[in-house]
Amino acid sequence: MPSNEIKATSYRSTVSSAIPSLGPMLGLIILVIIVTILNPAFLEPLNILNLLRQVAINALIAFGMTFVILTGGIDLSVGSTLALSSAIMASMLVSGTPPLIAISAGCILGAGLGAVNGIMVTKGKMAPFIATLATMTIYRGLTMVFTEGNPITGLGDDWLFQLFGRGYFLGIPVPAVTMAIMFALLWVLLNKTSFGRKIYAIGGNEKAALISGIKVQRVKIMVYSLAGFLAALSGGILTSRLDSAQPTAGSSYELDAIAAVVLGGTSLSGGRGRIVGTLVGALIIGTLNNGLNLLGVSSFYQAVVKGVVIAIAVLMDRKKAA
């Protein structure tokens, strides 16, 4: 093959591989332009900061969901995990426990709840959808039992706890800073470590990964634990923002997280995707919600629009997989 044809083929291959990663970012830019045209108030600094604060919770949950989906799994229990861990955090704060210890305990609990999912999937040989559907119901029920169906309030006025969900660091909302730090750590974990390579290998071909010596069960349990940890961390942020723990907190959060992952280009069949795309996907969901609120669109119609966007993203994923 002549050198010119080789270069042309290489160029086309590079472009075709870059388009999927650029797609979510291009979609976000177009969405921002449309919302700004319809309501210029969208780009006001105060609204952008508010948007970042709102996006942080979904983004953190979606980061964990990305790891799970990359292994070919799914976690429907993250919203319930958030609620149960938040209730435990809040009860500890009410009893006078220092915020750092309460939040840490909640995150450890979240990781443990995630590990239960991983054990059910690996040791119990249950389909991830069924296993996490069961724990979603169990964890939500435990939350209702623990709180007796009532919000936990009177969390105190400790500045550190208030800072976690409502404060600012160098003019940037602390939840957004937390999101950025976790994104950087998880990006390194996924792209620069052997653990990340094992995740992609399992999602790409689990049997081949097992034959190659990868401890598939251990990796999966760790991945589900990570998802639970991040859900609990999000719960801490939400509890601080609301200054209370609601027994219904986190309802449908798993759907927003899955939507962010899919919009970001991660394949639901596993083995293909990037955490950068998930961040962009979370920003798309956040921008959509924020923009529709600014435009005064009814929450009922917002649900319809979000569902249409998710359906389009899944159809695009199916088309790429075909």
Side-chain angles (χ1 to χ4, degrees), residues 49-69:
L49 292 177
N50 184 48
L51 172 63
L52 291 174
R53 190 188 301 276
Q54 294 170 346
V55 165
I57 292 175
N58 185 35
L60 286 170
I61 299 174
F63 292 160
M65 190 70 74
T66 302
F67 279 71
V68 173
I69 290 178

Side-chain angles (χ1 to χ4, degrees), residues 24-25 27-29 31-32 35 42 48 50-56 58-60 62-63 176 179 183 256 259-261 263-264 275-291:
M25 181 60 72
L28 175 61
I29 293 172
L31 180 61
V32 168
V35 173
F42 174 79
I48 295 299
N50 184 48
L51 172 63
L52 291 174
R53 190 188 301 276
Q54 294 170 346
V55 165
N58 185 35
L60 286 170
F63 292 160
M179 174 185 71
F183 169 78
D256 282 348
V261 174
L263 285 171
I275 196 170
V276 174
T278 297
L279 177 59
V280 175
L283 288 170
I284 290 175
I285 294 292
T287 300
L288 194 61
N289 289 335
N290 184 275

Side-chain angles (χ1 to χ4, degrees), residues 152-268:
I152 300 177
T153 57
L155 306 186
D157 56 357
D158 188 284
W159 70 272
L160 183 60
F161 179 67
Q162 293 181 355
L163 180 72
F164 192 54
R166 289 170 276 169
Y168 291 85
F169 178 75
L170 299 178
I172 302 173
V174 170
V177 174
T178 304
M179 174 185 71
I181 292 172
M182 290 307 303
F183 169 78
L185 293 174
L186 294 171
W187 184 90
V188 172
L189 180 64
L190 191 58
N191 295 282
K192 301 296 181 180
T193 67
S194 60
F195 181 70
R197 290 190 288 273
K198 290 174 183 177
I199 289 173
Y200 280 108
I202 292 171
N205 190 324
E206 185 172 329
K207 290 183 178 179
L210 190 62
I211 293 172
S212 67
I214 295 175
K215 292 179 171 56
V216 173
Q217 292 189 352
R218 180 186 298 178
V219 172
K220 283 190 173 183
I221 292 172
M222 291 174 67
V223 163
Y224 280 95
S225 295
L226 177 62
F229 170 84
L230 291 169
L233 182 63
S234 300
I237 293 174
L238 182 63
T239 303
S240 175
R241 280 186 59 190
L242 300 178
D243 199 25
S244 66
Q246 304 291 330
T248 56
S251 296
S252 79
Y253 278 26
E254 59 278 349
L255 301 181
D256 282 348
I258 294 170
V261 174
V262 174
L263 285 171
T266 296
S267 173
L268 287 171

